[in-house]
């Protein structure tokens, strides 16, 4: 149970961290793509809108496909779209890939709560949600600092690439550690 919980928490952590990393990079991405601040703001807005649209659908999708399968699909989609964001060749391609990333990321937060309630015994829910909450709050706290270092040492593209190994690990852990919910 605790190992499965770690996979779920890691999946949530990586999505929240990724979003907090990007805020710092908007000025550099604007310069790299020769874009405008108004256009590059859509890197954040597109993600948020896409996530907001799919959050209400996550319950339906979970019932339809199962929580494990949806978790793995959403996290794999988030990881793949992270790669695409890191490889973006223009401001428009980056915005489009961020919308895809937002669609995947938007499913993961409510889905992770559903999975936690399904795998953790009732007397341990408080502890599990506390750990989940620490991870969800730590990500935006460390994101800007990590972002600054990555931009200075490497490039803005690594803000997306850094999510990939964590996403692959969480998907793999989810495949082996999570049990499918009854449909």
């Amino acid at each position: 149970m605790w190992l499965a919980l770690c996979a779920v928490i890691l999946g949530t952590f990586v999505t929240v961290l990724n979003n907090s990393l990007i805020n710092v990079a908007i000025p550099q991405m604007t310069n790299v793509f020769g874009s405008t601040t108004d256009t590059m703001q859509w890197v954040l807005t597109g993600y948020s809108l896409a996530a907001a649209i799919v959050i209400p659908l996550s319950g339906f999708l979970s019932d339809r496909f199962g929580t494990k399968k949806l978790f793995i699909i959403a996290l794999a989609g988030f990881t793949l779209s992270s790669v695409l964001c890191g490889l973006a060749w223009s401001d428009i391609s980056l915005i489009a890939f961020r919308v895809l990333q937002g669609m995947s990321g938007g499913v993961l937060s409510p889905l992770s709560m559903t999975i936690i309630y399904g795998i953790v015994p009732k007397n341990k829910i408080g502890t599990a949600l506390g750990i989940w909450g620490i991870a969800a709050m730590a990500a935006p706290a460390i994101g800007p600092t990590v972002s600054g270092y990555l931009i200075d040492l490497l490039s803005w593209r690594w803000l997306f690439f850094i999510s990939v190994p964590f996403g692959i690990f969480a998907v793999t852990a989810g495949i082996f550690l999570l049990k499918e919910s009854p449909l």
Side-chain angles (χ1 to χ4, degrees):
M1 173 212 49
W2 292 109
L3 288 175
L5 179 66
C6 289
V8 172
I9 289 171
L10 183 60
T12 302
F13 178 81
V14 77
T15 59
V16 175
L17 177 65
N18 182 271
N19 220 22
S20 69
L21 291 172
I22 306 310
N23 293 328
V24 176
I26 293 294
Q28 186 180 29
M29 290 186 291
T30 302
N31 290 336
V32 166
F33 292 126
S35 189
T36 66
T37 303
D38 289 340
T39 300
M40 289 310 291
Q41 188 63 36
W42 278 99
V43 170
L44 301 172
T45 305
Y47 182 97
S48 297
L49 286 173
I53 289 169
V54 300
I55 286 172
L57 293 172
S58 61
F60 167 77
L61 294 172
S62 170
D63 289 344
R64 178 96 166 113
F65 301 107
T67 54
K68 175 182 177 174
K69 190 179 296 180
L70 184 59
F71 177 80
I72 291 166
I73 290 168
L75 194 51
F78 184 87
T79 305
L80 177 61
S81 57
S82 294
V83 171
L84 293 172
C85 286
L87 297 173
W89 55 88
S90 69
D91 53 358
I92 301 302
S93 66
L94 179 58
I95 292 166
F97 297 144
R98 279 288 285 174
V99 168
L100 291 174
Q101 195 178 44
M103 291 171 66
S104 299
V107 170
L108 288 169
S109 220
L111 185 61
S112 66
M113 299 290 276
T114 302
I115 292 171
I116 289 171
Y117 274 94
I119 65 172
V120 176
K122 294 209 183 303
N123 63 334
K124 305 277 189 206
I125 289 286
T127 302
L129 290 177
I131 295 168
W132 181 88
I134 289 169
M137 288 187 297
I142 65 171
T145 304
V146 171
S147 180
Y149 281 121
L150 288 173
I151 291 169
D152 281 348
L153 297 175
L154 300 167
S155 93
W156 64 269
R157 294 180 187 280
W158 282 91
L159 302 179
F160 297 104
F161 294 147
I162 195 169
S163 300
V164 174
F166 295 106
I168 291 170
F169 180 78
V171 166
T172 305
I175 288 169
F176 292 108
L177 299 174
L178 293 176
K179 292 185 179 16
E180 189 56 81
S181 63
L183 297 177

